[in-house]
Structures are given as C-alpha cells and as structure tokens.
Amino acid sequence: MSMSISSPVSLSTLLKARIGAAVETLFAQPPDPNVIVVEPAARPEFGDVTTNVAMRLARPLGRPPRDIAEALSQQLAQDPWIRRADAAGPGYVNLDIAWDVWMQAEGRELLPIFPPQGGKVIVEHTSINPNKAAHVGHLRNACIGDSVARLLRRTGQLVEVHNYIDDLGRQVADTVTGLLYLDPGTVATGQPRFCDFCWDVYAALHQGYQSNPSLKAQGDQTLHELEAGDNRIAWMAEAFVQQILEDQLRDMARFGIRYDLLVHESDILRAGLWETAFSRLQGSSRFVRETDGPQAGCWVLRAREDDEDAAEERDGAHMPDKVLVRSNGLLTYTAKDIAYHLWKFGLLPLDFRYHLRGDGLYSTGREILEHPALGGANTVINVIDRRQSYPQEMVQEALQAVGFEEAARNLHHIGYAVVSLSRRTAAHLGVPVEEGRDVYPMAGRQGIGIKIADLLALVAEAVESARSRKEGIGSEAIASGAIRYYLLRHNLQTDIVLDTDSVADIHGNTGPYVMYTHARAAGILRRADPTEAEAVAAPAPAILDPWERMVAISLAWWPDVLVEAARAYNPTVIATYVHELAERFNRFYEECPILRAGDTERRFRLALVRRVVAVMADGLDLLGVPAPDAM
RNA sequence: GCGCCCGUAGCUCAGGGGAUAGAGCGUCUGACUACGAAUCAGAAGGCCGUAGGUUCAAAUCCUACCGGGCGCACCA
C-alpha cells in the first residue's frame, strides 16, 4: 500500500542523509537513497546502529564490500553525531551514536510532528448487523479500524470515520421475525439489555427455521416488507435497529471507539444514490442485464473481459459475474455498497440528509440541516473481515468499470482473520466440544460467541482481584485496555483463537504489563524534583550503560515505527514496539538507579524516563489503551 | 476445480533478504523492611512444514509438494 506520509526528522533519516553524503564524497556519486538502510544493531557488541550500504553498493561500485565499509567507516568517524564507526563482518558498518548530541540536538521535539497532508481519508469500520449484541469478532474489527484512524490522524491525515448500518438485511429481518412470531417462552427472560435478549431471539429463530416451515415463510415475508419500506414492518424495524444500535455504540464507547458518521443502508436508496449509480453503471459494457442462463433477469457486473477463465466458468458450477440487481428487482448488498463508495469518493452529485445525535455524532437521516462537509475522500479504507474480500473486490471493479481508475486504486480493504474460541472457552460457554478439535468458530445463528460486555466484565473481575493497589484508573478501564491490546497485538492475518483465561492474564505481553510500565515510569517522575522531571534533555555520559543504550535506541526509532505502521495500516507494529520499549525500560529500571544516582547520571536518566513516558503514552493512545499515571 | 491466507520452542505469538532466529505462558532456580515485585534475572526448550531454486547472504523471495483455514450466492 502506498500512502504518502512524509518522514519526520529522526535519528535514522539524519544518519541516512549523512551516510549518503559520505558515499558521495568518497566515490563521487550520490547513492540511490533507497539503498541506504539504517537499523538498530542486531547485537549490542555490534554497536548502536548498523548499515549494510557497503554490501548493497558493492556491485554498482564494482568494489569489494569490505573495502567500501572500511572507507565509509573512516569517513563517518569524523561526523559529530557518530562516536565510533567500524567495518565488520562481510561488510557492515557499525556505528555508535554520540548520544549527548542526539539528546541535546537543537530544536529537537520530544515527539515526532507531522505536517498536515491534505486530502481526506474515510475509514469505515465496525459495520455490525444491527440485530443483536456485538461479540469479540466485531470488537477486533472496531479496534483495528479505530487504531488505523488514530494512526492516520497522528501522521497528519484528515480522517472521517464511518460506521455502516445494514438496516435492511436478512439479519434484521430475522430478529424482527423472531420478536413477532416466535412463541413467547422459547426465549429465556432476565436478559440485562435488549441486544442480549435479541441475541437469544436470533438463535432461537434459526432453530425454529429448522423445524417450522411456516416460520421460514414469515421470515421471507418480513424481509420483503422491510426492503419495500413504508409499512408496518419497516417502521418497526427502524425503531428496532435504533435500539440495538444504541446498545452496540455504548459497548464500543467503553473501549474508546467513536465515529464521525453513521451511514444507514436504507438512506442510500432514500437519498437516490443508487438511482444515480445505476445510470453511471449503465455506461459500462460490463454492467448488463442477463437474458438467459441461471442469472436471467438480473443486472450483473461481468468479470473482466480479459479474464479467459470467465467464459469457461460461466458454463460450469460457479458464476464469475456478480449480481447487483436480482431478478425480482431488489438490490444486493454489493449494489448499495457500490453506490455508497461512489459517494465516499465524491463521485455522485448527491448527498444524504443528516441528523445530529445528542452525543455529537452525525447520522444519515431525514432532516436537512447545516453540517460539515461529509464524504468526498481521496482515500477510502474499509476494515472488513477477510472472508468478505470477494465483494470488496467487486466494489473496486465497479469503480474501474465506470472509469474511476484512481478511486479504485485508492480503495483499500484491510482484511483480517477471524476470532474463534478455544476448546476450553467453548466448553465454558456450553458448546459441545470434540476430542482433537481445538478451534470453535463463533456462530450467531447458533448463539455461539462471547459478547463484548460479558468479556469486559470477566476481565475486569480478573483485574480487580489481581491488583495490589486500588489507586489510579479503575479495573474496567484496565480491562478495556487489556482486551484492546490483546486484539491488536496479533497480526491481521493471524487467526485469533480466543481463550478467556489468556485475555484475562495480566502478565507477559499484555496490556496491563505495558500500562503498568507507564505508571511505574510516571511514578518516578512524580517523585523527582519537578524541574529535573520536566527536562527533556540533559548532558549524556560519553559511554552509556548497556540498558541506557537499549532504551535510547528504542526511543530514537519511534518516528520510524510510527511511519511504518501508518503506511502499512498496521497497529500491530505499534503494539510490538511498545512492548519492547516496556521490557527495555523495566530492565533499565532494575539495573540503573535513577533517583538515587549522582547528579549527572540522575539528570540524564530522568530525561530518558521523561521520554519513555512520552513515547509510551503516544503509542498507547494509538492503540486506544489508557496510559495511566497510577494503577 | 480455481483463488487467497497460514505452517517458527510443549502452548500462544513476534521477526517478512542480512551477523549466533526472539518474547510471553508453562516448567525449574533465584531477587523486595520497595526510585511501584502487575517487576526483574538465570536455566531448559528450535533440521523456522518438506524438497528444489534465486542471491555474496533465505525463517524471509520463487517453484512444486504436504498439512490447516477461508473464499468462489439472486447472503452479507
């Protein structure tokens, strides 16, 4: 993925420039900036940082890498930022940084600052069917989306966060059907919230569908009336959706997740977006009405003309073409999504109507009012689980088909693997478990899954009983951070097999460990002399203690990590970094006296602590995890 | 059948061309009348799924195979 995020000044950018200049001085030609790579040294004996330019320049310069490394080392040793430079191994140049220069550098900011980038990014996430309580899988989506939005804002992008409300779908129709037609008694009472009750209704309904054909017919009829609109079912469903939505938004708010705009699927029709999109699509030869075959009567988006397999497949079992308008005239989800995306990119001459909710959140609706400019993005990012990558591709293809190549290029799908349940957790929830089977997918239709509110309560309870002090932030806030951290520290492509015991664990690579480290560091600053605690810089010793070095190297690399995470749309990069910084700080804390040290050492170490607190708070904020001063 | 993703310590996961592959959990052994022990140290644990290839250099890139997951709806 290519996003133009400018790199702020950092140790690595500074060193790259200096290495480039040194190469130019020595060999009378400037190197390609991309071949200059500077990394933290793999092992402490190698120094602070390492570059492999000599090996990468060996071929273009026609000289042995070791010779280049030797010459480069001698040249760089003159640099005031570099305390020592040595050629090593097959052609590395190992550098020790003049940390005093780094810390004192004039005009140096405590945290990297990014200039505003111009343009707008829309991030769509959460987008849960509004028909029952939200579960951990939905929360993974929301945490990823929320963190990506924070990352982009942090690096200078203008971001608008959308939550898409599918208020017309099969799932809403099903729960409404269950509420209306299921025998009272089939669902247990005593649920704490409406969405919890509906969770059970939805599961009970699907059980009913198995045994009761007339119930299925009622479900189909409900869906039909819902889609048709302007009738008893449609109005009831609207009230129903609103209530469920409030429950879901409250769940998300407890994790610090907020939105700028709620977009209702029904409003895409109401605002006439589809009508306009439809006429645009008709300009494409790939959008056709099938007259025969299995898709007769449907408007479909044809697979790419140059796709040789497509024609062949059309005769086989799988149709390569995507139906947008069904033979009964009703639209598929993808059709409405295409219209929505044309609007997101500002490619339709129409807008929604809106209303402003009490909590300051805008929602599409029926009123006309003054509102900030919404939509019209240059870049669109959709956080949707990777099982749905096919319809996402169809949206992209539709944009291409109607000639919006640039928009198609700037539409990014962040696909992530799903959350399943461990055998232990599944058994705990009453799911029948089998020998030799370790992974149990969540299934709304069977009522299998961990609801967000339940998980939060469970983890909060574990935190409450494990904590030794009760000051500072509350157990629920810690639990929320623990869960967010857990969901974000896994790579997007990693299947999370959720085990409630390991989420509730507060040791190791966990949110509480990282939060605790922040509180610990903040506590030291609190006890220090206020002037010394505020200082961002202090004279550094010529040679650092090994654990001072490790902390300093991590701190120096924070801007690079931030840029890498934002460019890759990947919050896991931040989690990995923050954990490593926490480990290094804790080791530094064990090995090096701070408040008890002599004047010079104390001031330098306090400046390091000050920076650790700032960087950890910065990173934790991007993850949506609290950075408490006490806990 | 076609396509995508994943196989790394007993378990959960990092590392995604660079020097001797890292954490956490679990196991064993140690460190608090405290700069916050929700911490830290040490020990033990690996043909990085298999076989080829590219490269000065492969856990990392390419090919094939094996194993697991997921897509290929007039559901979303």
Side-chain angles (χ1 to χ4, degrees), chain A residues 135 184 223 436 475 579 622:
Chain A
H135 61 59
L223 178 61
S475 296
H579 178 247
L622 294 171

Side-chain angles (χ1 to χ4, degrees), chain A residues 322-364:
Chain A
K322 178 64 193 167
V323 171
L324 298 187
V325 185
R326 301 180 184 120
S327 54
N328 65 6
L330 293 180
L331 303 177
T332 60
Y333 180 95
T334 302
K336 287 169 273 197
D337 216 18
I338 290 167
Y340 178 27
H341 280 83
L342 286 167
W343 175 84
K344 278 183 179 175
F345 280 109
L347 300 172
L348 295 179
L350 288 173
D351 201 357
F352 291 105
R353 295 182 174 195
Y354 300 96
H355 71 262
L356 180 58
R357 295 159 41 98
D359 55 4
L361 172 57
Y362 281 92
S363 170
T364 61

Side-chain angles (χ1 to χ4, degrees), chain A residues 182-189 197:
Chain A
L182 225 41
D183 288 335
T186 31
V187 178
T189 53
F197 181 71

